[in-house]
């Protein structure tokens, strides 16, 4: 999305669509295996370098993966032997896991607090250690994960034929010789006392443990940030200053200092004096990736507000409001429900905001608040089925979205474990549907879109697929019980990690 990138792409012609391939899967289910509720993945996040990946699940666990392939090497030898792995791709391995949250009970409100991890955010690493924030509905925790070298006894220089009992030795040739307290006693010298001086000529055999240093990964909870939210926490986001972060619930956004866990500062409060006057709630909040004084939050009415912490300590007034005018005559019972924004993300340079509502992805230029610069239809074929989706509560599903590191593509999930990738940079017109499986192209559909206008153009671009109602582009019926809610794009490469129930799938292009 940078001007230089756009000029390059325009000068050399539109790049070909990305060809996505399966890379890895963790936690793969066998045929007919029933998935436990606690194992379903509820959060995914790459760290800033892309060398580590964290997932959280409904059981309150955080699982960490680390990259293993060398930067200048195209994957493992086994992969390179296969022709379809000729393209370099990142490869990860399981690193460690820890229990981040436990189920709790709020006795004052008679309310059960789930252990489910809602969000994970990486913090700046230091001294070889990894730091991350994880949150459930009420409590945020700050974790430090590092390798500790622990000395362990791996061997004893003991003759096994002479070892007895608890490790003391006895001589088979002389019953009068025995060992007590680890010292020998013989007829000439008595060393059963606390005198640890060596006998003349030394011991016949000095038995010592042989130790080795083993690296063990240890996760420690450094701080717990609690008692600051009356409603469920839906977002946490780090500031670019490396010292502060925000947490958001339905009605408030709080600002924290990483080093202070017993107090926070309320910077946004949309709670009306009378709760009957409540018309919208906060659904997601995100810090600007570069400017630590700027953040954005979205609402259930489909609007995004940009606020500047330099303007006022309590940011009840926004500096910019992004919302799309409602088309006349289009209002229905479901209009407000499907307009609710479930997730927002800044582009890496902070120029654009990507938002996901129930039916679409929208790309906003923060310098233009008249409307989105582009709109991408994710599953428009479901519009005739909104009644059914409302009856089974699927219409309230909260899908996440993500941008590629260079800002040229965006992605989000759908039902039947499908996710969609759209080209957004000038000259990139792809709209690809992939399935979370070992064969992602099984239901892959290339939907050519008319050429995109420049992102700075006021004319809005709408991408529509060719799917028929109730099915995907290949005529496959949709399964509303399987949904791909969580996914993340590698910060520097065309690689996507996404969660299908308890399985973590990774793809590259």
């Amino acid at each position: 999305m940078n001007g230089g990138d756009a000029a390059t792409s325009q000068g050399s012609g539109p790049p070909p669509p990305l060809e996505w391939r399966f890379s890895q899967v963790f936690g793969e289910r066998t045929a007919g295996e029933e998935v436990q509720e606690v194992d379903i993945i509820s959060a995914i996040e790459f760290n800033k370098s892309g060398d580590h990946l964290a997932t959280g699940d409904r059981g309150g666990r955080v699982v960490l993966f680390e990259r293993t392939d060398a930067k200048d090497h195209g994957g493992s030898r086994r992969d390179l032997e296969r022709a379809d792995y000729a393209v370099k791709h990142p490869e990860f391995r399981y690193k460690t896991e820890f229990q981040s949250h436990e189920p709790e009970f709020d006795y004052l409100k008679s309310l059960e607090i789930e252990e489910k991890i809602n969000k994970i955010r990486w913090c700046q690493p230091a001294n070889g250690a990894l730091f991350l924030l994880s949150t459930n509905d009420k409590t945020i925790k700050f974790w430090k994960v590092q390798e500790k070298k622990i000395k362990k006894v791996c061997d004893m220089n003991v003759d096994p034929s002479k070892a007895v009992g608890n490790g003391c030795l006895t001589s088979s040739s002389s019953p009068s010789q025995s060992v007590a307290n680890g010292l020998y006693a013989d007829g000439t010298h008595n060393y059963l006392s606390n005198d640890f001086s060596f006998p003349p000529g030394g011991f016949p055999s000095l038995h010592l443990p042989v130790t080795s240093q083993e690296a063990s990964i240890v996760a420690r909870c450094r701080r717990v940030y609690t008692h600051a939210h009356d409603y469920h926490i839906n977002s946490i986001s780090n500031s670019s200053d490396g010292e502060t972060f925000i947490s958001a619930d339905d009605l408030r956004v709080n600002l924290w200092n990483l080093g202070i866990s017993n107090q926070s500062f309320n910077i946004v409060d949309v709670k009306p004096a009378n709760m009957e006057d409540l018309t919208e709630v906060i659904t997601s909040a995100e810090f600007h990736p570069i400017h630590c004084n700027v953040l954005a939050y979205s609402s259930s009415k489909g609007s995004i507000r940009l606020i500047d912490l330099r303007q006022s300590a309590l940011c009840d007034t926004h500096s910019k409001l992004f919302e799309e005018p409602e088309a006349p005559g289009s209002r229905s019972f479901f209009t407000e429900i499907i307009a609710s924004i479930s997730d927002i993300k800044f582009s890496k340079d902070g120029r654009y905001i990507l938002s996901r509502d129930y039916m679409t992805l929208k790309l906003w230029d923060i310098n233009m608040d008249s409307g989105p610069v582009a709109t991408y239809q994710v599953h428009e074929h479901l519009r005739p089925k909104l009644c059914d989706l409302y009856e089974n509560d699927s219409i309230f599903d909260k899908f996440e979205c993500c941008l590629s590191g260079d800002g040229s593509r965006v992605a989000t999930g759908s039902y039947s474990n499908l996710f969609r990738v759209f080209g957004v940079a000038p000259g990139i017109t792809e709209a690809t549907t992939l399935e979370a499986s070992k064969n992602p192209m099984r239901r892959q559909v290339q939907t050519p879109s008319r050429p995109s206008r420049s992102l700075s153009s006021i004319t809005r671009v709408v991408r529509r697929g060719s799917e028929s109602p109730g099915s995907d582009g290949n005529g496959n019926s949709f399964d509303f019980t399987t949904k791909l809610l969580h996914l993340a794009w590698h910060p520097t490469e065309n690689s996507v990690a996404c969660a299908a129930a308890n399985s973590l799938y990774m793809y590259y292009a």
Side-chain angles (χ1 to χ4, degrees):
M1 289 192 298
N2 297 325
D5 297 340
T8 302
S9 62
Q10 287 175 341
S12 58
L18 293 179
E19 184 181 347
W20 290 93
R21 305 182 183 189
F22 169 77
S23 173
Q24 290 175 280
V25 59
F26 297 93
E28 186 179 18
R29 287 169 288 164
T30 57
E33 180 185 357
E34 187 176 345
V35 179
Q36 300 296 318
E37 180 81 9
V38 293
D39 295 329
I40 295 177
I41 297 173
S42 56
I44 301 178
E45 185 79 4
F46 280 103
N47 73 336
K48 194 172 183 180
S49 68
D51 291 335
H52 291 90
L53 175 68
T55 66
D57 62 27
R58 295 187 183 181
R61 295 183 299 265
V62 172
V63 183
L64 303 185
F65 302 88
E66 67 177 352
R67 189 165 178 174
T68 56
D69 62 307
K71 297 284 183 169
D72 57 350
H73 196 271
S76 67
R77 184 181 306 168
R78 172 175 52 83
D79 293 339
L80 287 173
E81 289 173 354
R82 299 170 55 183
D84 60 341
Y85 274 82
V87 181
K88 185 178 80 169
H89 69 283
E91 185 172 320
F92 287 79
R93 70 174 176 87
Y94 169 86
K95 183 179 179 75
T96 188
E97 68 180 81
F98 55 90
Q99 189 71 33
S100 176
H101 288 73
E102 301 280 357
E104 301 174 50
F105 189 81
D106 187 335
Y107 292 96
L108 292 176
K109 298 180 180 178
S110 296
L111 182 70
E112 287 186 11
I113 302 172
E114 289 184 335
E115 66 271 36
K116 178 174 82 80
I117 305 297
N118 291 342
K119 294 288 180 182
I120 295 173
R121 289 292 181 263
W122 291 91
C123 303
Q124 293 180 355
N127 301 325
L130 301 171
F131 295 90
L132 54 89
L133 291 164
S134 63
T135 184
N136 65 350
D137 286 340
K138 294 290 184 182
T139 305
I140 307 162
K141 293 186 179 182
F142 182 53
W143 292 90
K144 178 181 181 181
V145 182
Q146 66 180 149
E147 284 192 357
K148 289 276 190 180
K149 289 187 176 180
I150 302 173
K151 287 186 177 182
K152 292 187 176 181
V153 176
C154 64
D155 195 11
M156 295 279 286
N157 61 345
V158 176
D159 183 355
S161 64
K162 297 183 179 181
V164 296
N166 62 358
C168 296
L169 303 184
T170 182
S171 172
S172 57
S173 58
S174 176
S176 64
Q177 285 187 328
S178 63
V179 177
N181 295 330
L183 298 177
Y184 281 91
D186 56 27
T188 311
H189 300 92
N190 184 3
Y191 295 99
L192 293 179
S193 67
N194 289 329
D195 179 10
F196 288 98
S197 58
F198 282 84
F203 287 111
S205 177
L206 185 60
H207 304 284
L208 298 174
V210 180
T211 61
S212 67
Q213 285 195 344
E214 293 186 7
S216 177
I217 300 171
V218 179
R220 287 200 177 99
C221 183
R222 299 295 299 271
R223 290 178 192 89
V224 179
Y225 311 88
T226 187
H227 306 308
H229 288 277
D230 292 330
Y231 302 92
H232 292 174
I233 298 171
N234 55 49
S235 306
I236 51 175
S237 179
N238 306 84
S239 169
S240 58
D241 63 13
E243 297 179 0
T244 55
F245 70 94
I246 54 171
S247 59
D249 64 19
D250 291 343
L251 299 179
R252 291 188 173 94
V253 179
N254 292 330
L255 178 67
W256 300 83
N257 186 297
L258 278 168
I260 302 171
S261 61
N262 59 358
Q263 64 178 352
S264 62
F265 191 81
N266 177 230
I267 56 175
V268 176
D269 188 349
V270 300
K271 185 178 180 180
N274 184 352
M275 284 295 283
E276 292 181 359
D277 299 330
L278 183 67
T279 59
E280 62 182 333
V281 296
I282 298 169
T283 56
S284 182
E286 187 90 357
F287 253 122
H288 191 282
I290 299 171
H291 303 299
C292 59
N293 57 288
V294 177
L295 59 97
Y297 68 90
S298 59
S299 82
S300 57
K301 274 194 167 181
S303 62
I304 301 171
R305 289 172 173 84
L306 199 69
I307 60 176
D308 192 333
L309 297 173
R310 296 172 300 183
Q311 290 182 342
S312 171
L314 187 58
C315 304
D316 285 343
T317 58
H318 51 267
S319 57
K320 285 190 179 180
L321 173 66
F322 304 94
E323 60 183 357
E324 190 169 24
E326 188 178 311
S330 63
R331 190 167 185 81
S332 71
F333 172 77
F334 304 109
T335 299
E336 285 197 10
I337 300 175
I338 64 175
S340 177
I341 295 175
S342 56
D343 190 26
I344 59 171
K345 292 286 195 309
F346 275 98
S347 61
K348 193 173 183 180
D349 59 3
R351 170 72 183 275
Y352 299 93
I353 299 175
L354 180 69
S355 67
R356 170 70 203 265
D357 57 42
Y358 188 70
M359 300 296 290
T360 65
L361 274 174
K362 291 186 175 75
L363 194 68
W364 308 79
D365 187 332
I366 65 171
N367 297 326
M368 191 182 80
D369 54 9
S370 59
V373 293
T375 299
Y376 310 93
Q377 305 292 350
V378 179
H379 39 219
E380 183 65 19
H381 51 272
L382 297 182
R383 196 171 290 275
K385 293 185 171 290
L386 290 179
C387 279
D388 297 335
L389 294 163
Y390 180 78
E391 290 293 329
N392 62 22
D393 285 342
S394 294
I395 201 170
F396 301 106
D397 287 332
K398 300 183 185 306
F399 291 94
E400 294 179 358
C401 58
C402 58
L403 299 95
S404 60
D406 61 3
S408 63
R409 291 172 175 85
V410 296
T412 191
S414 182
Y415 294 100
S416 298
N417 287 342
L418 300 180
F419 66 100
R420 306 206 68 194
V421 180
F422 299 93
V424 301
I428 300 180
T429 59
E430 66 191 88
T432 306
T433 302
L434 301 154
E435 183 182 18
S437 69
K438 286 189 174 180
N439 183 14
M441 312 300 275
R442 182 159 67 99
R443 299 207 228 188
Q444 185 267 357
V445 180
Q446 282 290 350
T447 311
S449 304
R450 62 173 180 260
S452 168
R453 306 271 182 122
S454 170
L455 289 177
S456 60
S457 169
I458 297 179
T459 304
R460 294 187 283 277
V461 181
V462 179
R463 311 276 175 90
R464 286 186 173 85
S466 59
E467 300 89 340
S468 60
S471 64
D472 62 18
N474 290 353
N476 298 308
S477 59
F478 267 74
D479 178 7
F480 298 119
T481 62
T482 57
K483 57 198 76 172
L484 199 150
L485 301 176
H486 312 285
L487 75 170
W489 201 299
H490 192 282
T492 59
E493 300 176 13
N494 285 326
S495 174
V496 173
C498 55
N502 68 320
S503 302
L504 176 66
Y505 288 92
M506 306 194 71
Y507 306 94
Y508 71 101

